[in-house]
Amino acid sequence: MTPPLILWSHPYSAYGQKASVALYELDLPFEPRLVDAGDEAGMAAFRAVSPFGKMPVLVDGDRRLIESTVVIEYLDQRAGGGRLIPAGPEAALEARLIDRIVDTYVGGPMNRIIPRKFRPAGNEDPYGDAQDLDILAGAWDWLEDRLGDGRTWSAGETFTLADCAAAPILTYARRLVPFGDRPRLRALHARLMARPSFRRALEDAAPFGDLMPAPPAVD
């Protein structure tokens, strides 16, 4: 019997959701392993498979894969290829481009701003926050422009790696910088929110409540 795929993550982690969306899209059964800082034994097991202590980690038999983009590339190959990573080179390049923009210029600022909100009083970084909020706004502008060709999904007409990234990361980052007057971006996000694979990822996170230290977006 083939050992199950194991995904080490927390259901509320944006990058963990990125990986679980891919697993649901590809209909690959997996066993979730909760990364819980309060579970000393569990954290020791997690650190044994995650060299940098970062989520997610995919375990497939003797193989350990880190970094959500690499995890999804592997999962797509494992499922037969050509679904989340398009078979055509131009389409594949666009999917990877959008994935990197979302991870770097949306997820990056978000993952710097949020930890700063938990710093002790007197250790705030308003300058760093302002810089990262500007980067986020610039990413929204870039994505709005990129969507100007009428594409249905983040990178084209099919749901790809780029959408696995965009669904959770946009959902949380728009709490920090609302989409505002960017109708194409708002419409894309509405489609992502309705995608069954992302709905399942959100359902996985629901028992943990709202862990995002920023109010829900209102735009």
Side-chain angles (χ1 to χ4, degrees):
M1 183 176 178
T2 303
L5 292 169
I6 296 171
L7 183 69
W8 284 89
S9 187
H10 190 286
Y12 208 90
S13 160
Y15 291 103
Q17 286 183 11
K18 175 180 170 181
S20 63
V21 166
L23 285 158
Y24 290 137
E25 279 288 328
L26 297 169
D27 197 26
L28 292 172
F30 69 100
E31 178 184 317
R33 293 281 178 87
L34 179 65
V35 177
D36 178 1
D39 177 359
E40 187 174 332
M43 288 303 294
F46 169 62
R47 286 191 289 269
V49 298
S50 180
F52 301 104
K54 298 293 185 180
M55 302 177 279
V57 178
L58 182 77
V59 178
D60 186 6
D62 294 332
R63 189 187 294 267
R64 311 287 188 268
L65 289 166
I66 62 173
E67 293 296 322
S68 57
T69 297
V70 174
V71 166
I72 294 172
E73 294 254 7
Y74 175 74
L75 292 172
D76 190 66
Q77 293 174 13
R78 197 179 191 276
R83 291 180 58 184
L84 297 180
I85 310 298
E90 289 297 324
L93 187 65
E94 183 69 9
R96 291 186 175 103
L97 171 63
I98 301 298
D99 170 76
R100 300 320 308 141
I101 294 296
V102 169
D103 271 10
T104 304
Y105 299 105
V106 181
M110 178 179 72
N111 286 334
R112 290 190 292 269
I113 293 170
I114 296 305
R116 289 197 289 257
K117 291 182 177 292
F118 293 100
R119 288 181 179 179
N123 291 277
E124 297 85 357
D125 183 7
Y127 181 77
D129 285 349
Q131 283 187 312
D132 282 325
L133 292 171
D134 283 345
I135 292 170
L136 263 173
W140 291 164
D141 287 338
W142 188 91
L143 289 166
E144 177 72 11
D145 181 69
R146 200 74 174 184
L147 294 166
D149 60 5
R151 63 185 66 180
T152 300
W153 297 105
S154 300
E157 291 309 303
T158 60
F159 191 97
T160 68
L161 161 70
D163 300 292
C164 295
I169 295 174
L170 268 61
T171 295
Y172 298 124
R174 69 185 295 233
R175 291 186 173 205
L176 301 173
V177 176
F179 291 149
D181 186 23
R182 300 178 180 94
R184 293 188 288 267
L185 189 56
R186 289 201 308 272
L188 169 66
H189 185 252
R191 291 190 289 275
L192 293 169
M193 287 293 294
R195 189 77 175 187
S197 57
F198 185 44
R199 300 307 306 170
R200 290 180 69 180
L202 291 174
E203 288 168 7
D204 293 342
F208 296 89
D210 188 348
L211 302 179
M212 179 74 170
V218 295
D219 62 343

